[in-house]
Amino acid sequence: MQLGVCYYPEHWPESQWANDARRMREIGLTRVRIGEFAWSRIEPEPGRFDWVWLDRAIETLHAAGLGVILGTPTATPPKWLVDSMPDMIAVDRDGRPRRFGSRRHYCFSHAGYRKQSARITRAVAERYGHHPAVVAWQTDNEYGCHDTVQSFSPAALAAFWVWLAERYGDVAALNRAWGNVFWSQEYRSFDEIDLPNLTVTEANPAHWLAFRRFASDEVVRFNQIQVDILRALSPGRDITHNFMGFFTEFDHHDVAQSLDAVGWDSYPLGFLESFRFSEEDRLRYARQGHPDIAAFHHDLYRGCMRGGRWWVLEQQPGPVNWARHNPAPLDGMVRLWTLEALAHGAELVSYFRWRQAPFAQEQLHAGLLRPDDAPAPAYAEAAQAAEDIAAIGPMSAAAKSVALIFSYDSDWITTIQPQGAGLSALWAAFDAYCALRQLGLNVDILPANAPLEGYAMCVVPCLPVVPDELLAHLAAFEGPVVIGPRSGSRTADFAIPDGLPPGAIFPAKVVRVESLRPGLVHPGQGWAVRRWIEHLETDAAAELVADDGTVACWRSGNRRYLAAWPEPDILAPVLQSAAREAGVDTVALPEGLRLRRTASHVFAFNYAPTPVAIPDGIGGRLVLGEKLIPPAGIAVLTL
Amino acid sequence: MQLGVCYYPEHWPESQWANDARRMREIGLTRVRIGEFAWSRIEPEPGRFDWVWLDRAIETLHAAGLGVILGTPTATPPKWLVDSMPDMIAVDRDGRPRRFGSRRHYCFSHAGYRKQSARITRAVAERYGHHPAVVAWQTDNEYGCHDTVQSFSPAALAAFWVWLAERYGDVAALNRAWGNVFWSQEYRSFDEIDLPNLTVTEANPAHWLAFRRFASDEVVRFNQIQVDILRALSPGRDITHNFMGFFTEFDHHDVAQSLDAVGWDSYPLGFLESFRFSEEDRLRYARQGHPDIAAFHHDLYRGCMRGGRWWVLEQQPGPVNWARHNPAPLDGMVRLWTLEALAHGAELVSYFRWRQAPFAQEQLHAGLLRPDDAPAPAYAEAAQAAEDIAAIGPMSAAAKSVALIFSYDSDWITTIQPQGAGLSALWAAFDAYCALRQLGLNVDILPANAPLEGYAMCVVPCLPVVPDELLAHLAAFEGPVVIGPRSGSRTADFAIPDGLPPGAIFPAKVVRVESLRPGLVHPGQGWAVRRWIEHLETDAAAELVADDGTVACWRSGNRRYLAAWPEPDILAPVLQSAAREAGVDTVALPEGLRLRRTASHVFAFNYAPTPVAIPDGIGGRLVLGEKLIPPAGIAVLTL
Amino acid sequence: MQLGVCYYPEHWPESQWANDARRMREIGLTRVRIGEFAWSRIEPEPGRFDWVWLDRAIETLHAAGLGVILGTPTATPPKWLVDSMPDMIAVDRDGRPRRFGSRRHYCFSHAGYRKQSARITRAVAERYGHHPAVVAWQTDNEYGCHDTVQSFSPAALAAFWVWLAERYGDVAALNRAWGNVFWSQEYRSFDEIDLPNLTVTEANPAHWLAFRRFASDEVVRFNQIQVDILRALSPGRDITHNFMGFFTEFDHHDVAQSLDAVGWDSYPLGFLESFRFSEEDRLRYARQGHPDIAAFHHDLYRGCMRGGRWWVLEQQPGPVNWARHNPAPLDGMVRLWTLEALAHGAELVSYFRWRQAPFAQEQLHAGLLRPDDAPAPAYAEAAQAAEDIAAIGPMSAAAKSVALIFSYDSDWITTIQPQGAGLSALWAAFDAYCALRQLGLNVDILPANAPLEGYAMCVVPCLPVVPDELLAHLAAFEGPVVIGPRSGSRTADFAIPDGLPPGAIFPAKVVRVESLRPGLVHPGQGWAVRRWIEHLETDAAAELVADDGTVACWRSGNRRYLAAWPEPDILAPVLQSAAREAGVDTVALPEGLRLRRTASHVFAFNYAPTPVAIPDGIGGRLVLGEKLIPPAGIAVLTL
């Protein structure tokens, strides 16, 4: 695994560049990511390019022996470009243009901007496509950040009509598929269809689902244009993009198809504060991040591509600037996060950013260096991580163990029509992932069409649309399969399927579903049905039954069906039983401890605020750390 | 009482219709409500009508012996109509057009749409006005649903000017009535007046009140046009409209004047979750609904018309799709809700809907049948209710007991200027209703101009504008009268009356009012003054005095005045005393039990999650159920 | 100190005026404030003035011996004026025009309205500028009320360009100062710059800071135009404006430069309910207001002008109408508030309003009289206060003791980029003020450029931009200085200064800052670090150290630096120590008791809901009240 750093030479006097490059190498960094917001410096006036500074910056980094990951600057089109075609601006759900003054102020569907995006990409690629320093390209930056996938602009509307016509052929088919007879929503032509925002009450969920698919496809199309140019003009370089955390607005499986390596940006503390974690977890892990945040995304994005190549393009190095509260990580966490990525198979971890900028929006975002050029705490931790990686040496890949199925349309469907406040397939997947990892298991998060050979068990936390490939793969799969609620509950056009859910994935009919407010529970022995319950007609066996007779889990052959929302206390016994049947060893991990096993090594990470011992039974020889692991500590054993 | 069901033949293959109709009859249904969202099927293109399917559907239902309640489809104008006059769309309070894509996307004030509404109503009435199957008409559907009474459109503004000119004659009178000298708000002509939204800080409350009166009158006018057409073209049929729950945006007393029977849509679980109930109640009654939700509206809407004819046009049959959490009712509740309507004098209960639709917005709304045509739990409960109704047999009407006065402008005034967060006349009325019902009393909720002869006592929970008729009726009334705070506190144009409130309704002057934050209380013996306190100058006697001397209730002759907000703990002793003086028997009901008495029968309903016994002293012979009533159970006694 | 009252003769029949004036004098009032919302009566049609009524009103008040404070009516331009130039309306942050129908519906940057504002000011001043009744002028009313300082209108944008050009000279300088190289935010000309609202994510904080400075300067400019006219046309009269509470949208120090006396509007109960007070305080002080609300503003606004002349132009007399909950003050509080103003050096307290209006927006705002002309409780309290003032007699001014530094840009900077939810310099100043006052100390709140001679100690709670004058004044200052976090942390253009904060104000480098969510604390002995922590590199001594070694307060020479957020429990020991070193006597005041000392008197005010005794050691002879002070009671001692 290589280490790298995000660097903005345009922010600093040229006199600092050589010294910066030297220090990067000194602490073991070999990659440097640059360029992704520099459009106004590359092309300060329409058509006038200034390559001089960038030529010199790349030369300087190259001279120091750093490989450059070069970003296309399309996330930040300059003001002169916006003023030349003001309707390139995206429109928010309330109908307001999202103006220049920060970033991502463009609409994916605007043909004019797509041309400009291709033009600047071509210009940069022509200049540096064959440069020996350039080892990879990043397209744009964090597609969708700041809620920018969906645009409710005239450009989006026109493109949506084309997309609908392609998908449905004729409008009668669309009316049928969406059930538009309901509420006289029938259309006579595609161009009668509006975008689904600003309706009196909720729009048809099939309308929303189509719009979200369309919006996702627009991201795919936008990205593909850059990829095609880069492949043509810069052969032999990897192409990547930096995905975000807990983000499902576009189908990452689709975008990943065009990439050589999936990148993502890992901010465990910011995510803990910003996403759906309990107040208790937010305090306990305030300085470590919840122990499964980074790992979940490592395993999710590794699964996006068949080859499984993936990079951390931005790694949190200290306090960030964008959460409601921004504490510093515990000493050691930056190193821990780096090695957790290593354990999950990353090829690269790149810290964001080299030096804290003293100006503009992110001036309170830490870097490896302070604004005054002195080392920030992460500087030494990055150096330590480089040494650790060397000390650990060559490593075998992880063996297949548990396959967890996640699809992006699952999350679209559950959030379009949650039926119970806050229910979502993404968080069902995350909770199932946590439950598996608390048992000490390795998990691969896979798309719904992925082959399952070689896995010991399979978990499908919540998959409303079950593709035929999955049914075929499951038919051939002999290990235990755990299927969560709402699976098989919708057609691809957001209707309840004939014959009722869940369809062929489990021999039952879901005849009624209920969502339950907090506090409305069906208690069992050490667990309870919460949030969601499904009533089944089935010949399957009731495996987990609440005190009042409510069935939380059904069993038929090697398959289990969870009729309750997959909360941790229900998942624990079900997954434990399934793992036992799968012949997979589990371990009762102390709170905050997490393992990751490769064929050659076992990694143990302590996210708890107190020292934790590796449980007996985890064998191997310590090559790093001790059995009693301090907070933010790591131990590595060889088998 | 008849039972019926809401049915959408256009959603299902014609091949199913006859079987559907047969099964309806089989379980005792005799009415079927259809057509109210079918415009796009009746008139798929401008001016091209397709009556064939609807002819056949009505024939099929008729052949099975079902009486049809036919709805005008004006709640869902099709897209082609909207595109032909885009300004028919309503505008929300933020100034945004409320677009096509769900329902109710029209502005009541748009003359073009009023014409179209008349045109389609006439077309349907001409076709089916004399059809023997058609027993009744429903105008439109749920006026005001999704916050659609108020529209801030140019059409509404122009109509508002006309309305103001009619009400005030000249603008100087308006300026005087509203007190526009305040903050230089004086106008020189009616067309200088804006709608009251989007002002810098709150608009003049008199301005808001006028606008809300106007918006209500627009609903009345819109409805009247359809009623006039239907009366002319379909003589002898009842005309109804389906009101909603806890909804005060238009004056239901006014709309009811044109109807033959008031309809309403009863969703106890959805309402519990959506409206102002405590978290404790939301849990305790999650599967039953608060015990007074349905009864309150039965008694409110029965009181809207002099004749008192009323129907439940939509009855919740299982989980709905539109609340934050949507649990299933306890087994038995659908039957219980049906018989509660019977006990309150309904002529009809119609379940919504026959079969759960597998598509579009309401796909998670239960029906009597599941999407796969098999019976849902409510199917058998409806059948059971039909049998129960037969078993109970002929029933005398209820005798007059307690009159509770409610006016819609009370709620407008209190919500325009609550003075303390969350205070509203609607909820004062509801709380007073609950307190009376917990004493086992029958209540008639009456408009402020209703005669009071025959009643034993009268409760006026909160009536800012006291009409002269009420003063006259009260002058002749000898039973106890309980008057709540803010009564008589405003003129019809939202000013404090000369001589200070409450005026002639009680011999006192309210010289100061205070609203109190939660926790700021004046404790009494087993009760406390909360939320609101009025200081009176009066010769009346202090009847209920807090420990610190604050007077919560004053007494003068047969009238009491509550100087505190009518919270349950204050209402209980006051209403108990009043009932005693009125010679009305009260009973201490166990939690969750409710009674309804007719001249011939006593009904007892158990809303509690545990069995409850009918208290001793409730006499009569059991004709249904047992003295110990299970959860969701019913007992009926004859006297 | 004089007492006065706000009066609206235009609201009442002329027949009442003389009697009103007589009664004002009867209870000891000598000033009457009129005219500030009367434009529609002064100029009912464009160019047609009606002076007759106002002439008579002023004559009547004059005849009774009252001095008139005359307001310009520019806060409420009439509808005809708005309709003559609709773009004079301000635009809100969401881009919506803020329409006529309440007040303050103008944009400060609109040249047309500035002309109209000058025209009406000139007209009124020409008419009454030399009238013997007129003793003072108030410009407009409550600049900024209802969030009206910032307008996002085309007029504001055009004016912003001019302002930017004046400040930065050329756009390259602006780009450098703002760090616009970040995210390609560079501009090629000033007119490429948008207003900072409606950006995709947060705009550059330097952009926001410039806009807020600009918006503040627009208020200064608007006010100056009126002041210049009034000075020219009404020589010898004081000019004032009424500031609000807890309001920082414009720089009050700047506006105050043009005034003769700073006015402010004191609503302790409304402020308690509306601003950042704990639920506990909101209950405890519901009827008194937090004990430091009024005093803080007295001391803040007295410090705005070198001469220190200041007035309370509106004093809460009973329940108000605009908070979420509006209780009545305890009996005695109106008198207490009046004497607290006296103790802090006010020249005038004017009650708002004479008689409660029975119409329009403020009909539930109490006055000295009820709507029916009878005295409200505050009537007698005002009379009592007049007697008390006479009884106390001549008073010496207060001696200098503690200087507390506050600047408006501090609050702009901390709220533009709080980094931790809810952190703000205003509230840091308020908390520091409370902590000082709880020690029995007198405080002067001063701008950052104020001289410090004569003060015993100096507290700088949070001052991101430290002006050179302050550094110079501190260099000469020998008393203890307590400096709070974020001080010196930003340049004037919102960048982290070279060499890191806090710069020359304390010998240290802040190398990392963290914001901490509630519950994430570093406990010390009886205190804890909460919300914010700064890590310093410094040779200073650690003075206050948490159990885990976190340093909350550093010490170097006579200066202390708080590295934690200045919460009360940390402030208490630090300020106590500093006061001891300063040789200033402190006293442990019982909860709710507050003192104010002048050179001749000690005032003690009891804000607690129970009686409180003046602590031993507070010497002097009682001239008012007793040592055991009842709730809402006052004691005054002479030294």
Side-chain angles (χ1 to χ4, degrees), chain C residues 66-391:
Chain C
L66 291 155
V68 169
I69 301 167
L70 192 52
T72 65
T74 47
T76 53
K79 187 65 181 348
W80 58 256
L81 181 60
V82 174
D83 286 346
S84 75
M85 45 181 187
D87 61 356
M88 66 166 273
I89 290 293
V91 173
D92 74 12
R93 194 161 167 159
D94 286 323
R96 296 173 308 195
R98 308 188 67 183
R99 299 206 308 217
F100 183 90
S102 59
R103 60 177 181 174
R104 302 212 54 74
H105 37 271
Y106 70 82
C107 173
F108 281 101
S109 298
H110 191 272
Y113 188 61
R114 275 200 310 271
K115 270 182 212 151
Q116 291 292 322
S117 157
R119 185 182 63 84
I120 192 72
T121 298
R122 193 171 297 113
V124 181
E126 281 170 349
R127 185 89 188 173
Y128 303 110
H130 292 81
H131 195 294
V134 174
V135 298
W137 291 91
Q138 176 189 299
T139 55
D140 201 280
N141 182 73
E142 292 185 345
Y143 288 136
C145 194
H146 320 304
D147 193 19
T148 51
V149 168
Q150 296 177 31
S151 169
F152 300 88
S153 66
L157 177 60
F160 188 42
W161 291 336
V162 174
W163 186 93
L164 289 171
E166 279 170 14
R167 181 178 177 89
Y168 294 101
D170 69 273
V171 78
L174 177 149
N175 284 328
R176 275 192 307 276
W178 293 10
N180 281 339
V181 62
F182 189 82
W183 290 354
S184 280
Q185 294 174 102
E186 291 166 303
Y187 301 103
R188 298 179 306 154
S189 61
F190 289 111
D191 64 7
E192 278 188 354
I193 301 175
D194 279 334
L195 298 177
N197 62 322
L198 293 174
T199 52
V200 174
T201 182
E202 79 269 26
N204 192 329
H207 190 172
W208 269 115
L209 181 60
F211 178 69
R212 295 192 66 170
R213 278 215 179 93
F214 156 76
S216 176
D217 285 355
E218 291 291 270
V219 177
V220 173
R221 170 165 69 149
F222 186 92
N223 184 66
Q224 189 66 49
I225 292 170
Q226 294 200 5
V227 167
D228 289 346
I229 293 165
L230 295 169
R231 290 226 184 283
L233 299 178
S234 189
R237 272 71 176 183
D238 286 324
I239 300 179
T240 190
H241 176 78
N242 53 334
F243 291 161
M244 297 189 294
F246 298 114
F247 187 76
T248 61
E249 283 290 312
F250 62 85
D251 190 321
H252 293 49
H253 295 134
D254 287 349
V255 170
Q257 296 322 303
S258 65
L259 306 177
D260 298 300
V262 168
W264 85 281
D265 296 347
S266 178
Y267 292 95
L269 303 198
F271 294 162
L272 179 76
E273 187 67 33
S274 303
F275 293 105
R276 183 230 60 164
F277 291 92
S278 68
E279 292 299 291
E280 194 188 351
D281 275 351
R282 284 186 179 161
L283 274 179
R284 173 185 302 276
Y285 296 118
R287 297 182 177 290
Q288 305 99 306
H290 183 286
D292 298 310
I293 287 177
F296 173 77
H297 292 93
H298 295 336
D299 291 341
L300 170 66
Y301 294 135
R302 189 182 60 244
C304 278
M305 293 178 58
R306 292 297 157 94
R309 293 183 61 201
W310 63 282
W311 303 348
V312 175
L313 279 167
E314 299 185 9
Q315 172 61 59
Q316 175 167 5
V320 297
N321 65 305
W322 46 265
R324 275 177 65 81
H325 307 278
N326 297 292
L330 277 190
D331 285 343
M333 283 309 300
V334 173
R335 168 182 171 246
L336 183 152
W337 291 326
T338 307
L339 296 190
E340 174 100 63
L342 173 74
H344 288 256
E347 292 181 351
L348 169 73
V349 170
S350 170
Y351 302 98
F352 184 88
R353 51 192 282 161
W354 174 244
R355 188 186 299 109
Q356 182 176 348
F359 46 70
Q361 279 91 332
E362 291 181 352
Q363 58 188 264
L364 281 170
H365 193 301
L368 295 185
L369 297 178
R370 305 179 337 204
D372 66 346
D373 218 27
Y379 190 82
E381 293 197 34
Q384 179 63 47
E387 289 178 27
D388 294 336
I389 294 163

Side-chain angles (χ1 to χ4, degrees), chain B residues 50-61:
Chain B
D50 180 358
W51 298 113
V52 180
W53 71 272
L54 188 51
D55 289 353
R56 283 206 294 255
I58 290 175
E59 281 312 320
T60 304
L61 299 165

